[in-house]
Amino acid sequence: MIFATVAPAGQLDCPSDLHSRKPLHLLEFLTPSRIAVREPLVDVDAVMTRLVALALPWSPAREDTLREVKARESVFPTALGDGVALPHVRSANVQTVTLSAVALQHAIPFGSRDGSDVDLFVLVLSPINAPSEHLKMLRAVAKLVAQPATIRALRHAPSVAAFLKIVQQSPSF
């Protein structure tokens, strides 16, 4: 199981809550409603739009946050290689650390350093005043996708439930 030391979504009332030492599982941040598998999206804009919509379905600041994510990607693409990308941004529009994930039916170009197209995306959104928590979450997600077998399993998960089971079975840190 993957753990991070930040408060789960919905429990961040003040910056001091962000420094909790209680280990937390990624599943507290990556809920079923924030995951899409076998998505037929074919371009970067559609993927970014879907990721932000999953992360912030009811937020009036969704479009502003989408612009921030796209701006961050234009500076330096967050493709990690092996078909995985980890777009992320710290935003004044976000009150809690939030994750979303999309696994595509077919990989798309995303500016990967290894030249590989990307079909597995995990978005990390964090409050602007939480830089260390943002880094902790990035580290936790990066550890999740560090193993080729885990990447393959996530990309080929036939359902959200199967995707979550893979996340749940991942080694802790």
Side-chain angles (χ1 to χ4, degrees):
M1 297 175 78
I2 300 293
F3 291 88
T5 55
V6 294
Q11 292 185 11
L12 302 178
D13 296 326
C14 66
S16 63
D17 290 342
L18 297 172
H19 299 291
S20 168
R21 296 281 183 204
K22 176 185 170 248
L24 300 169
H25 195 277
L26 280 177
L27 293 181
E28 294 183 56
F29 302 90
L30 190 59
T31 61
S33 64
R34 293 182 180 155
I35 300 168
V37 298
R38 312 293 299 150
E39 286 286 293
L41 307 172
V42 296
D43 64 55
V44 173
D45 283 341
V47 172
M48 294 297 109
T49 299
R50 182 74 167 125
L51 283 165
V52 173
L54 288 167
L56 305 173
W58 311 113
S59 174
R62 197 162 81 188
E63 289 301 316
D64 289 340
T65 306
L66 177 59
R67 279 191 287 279
E68 289 176 323
V69 171
K70 288 179 178 181
R72 164 64 181 87
E73 286 301 316
S74 71
V75 172
F76 191 78
T78 56
L80 302 176
D82 293 326
V84 177
L86 185 51
H88 55 91
V89 70
R90 289 178 29 236
S91 172
N93 297 317
V94 177
Q95 302 304 309
T96 62
V97 175
T98 305
L99 299 179
S100 63
V102 170
L104 300 178
Q105 286 181 2
H106 304 286
I108 61 171
F110 197 72
S112 178
R113 286 180 277 171
D114 70 356
S116 65
D117 289 348
V118 174
D119 61 357
L120 182 60
F121 296 82
V122 179
L123 173 67
V124 176
L125 300 175
S126 301
I128 194 82
N129 63 346
S132 64
E133 289 67 30
H134 185 72
L135 291 175
K136 288 175 190 176
M137 188 56 69
L138 288 173
R139 197 173 18 234
V141 174
K143 184 167 180 117
L144 172 70
V145 297
Q147 299 300 318
T150 302
I151 294 169
R152 275 191 305 277
L154 289 170
R155 102 174 4 116
H156 297 296
S159 67
V160 170
F163 192 101
L164 285 169
K165 187 172 184 173
I166 295 159
V167 173
Q168 183 179 22
Q169 294 175 350
S170 298
S172 63
F173 70 97

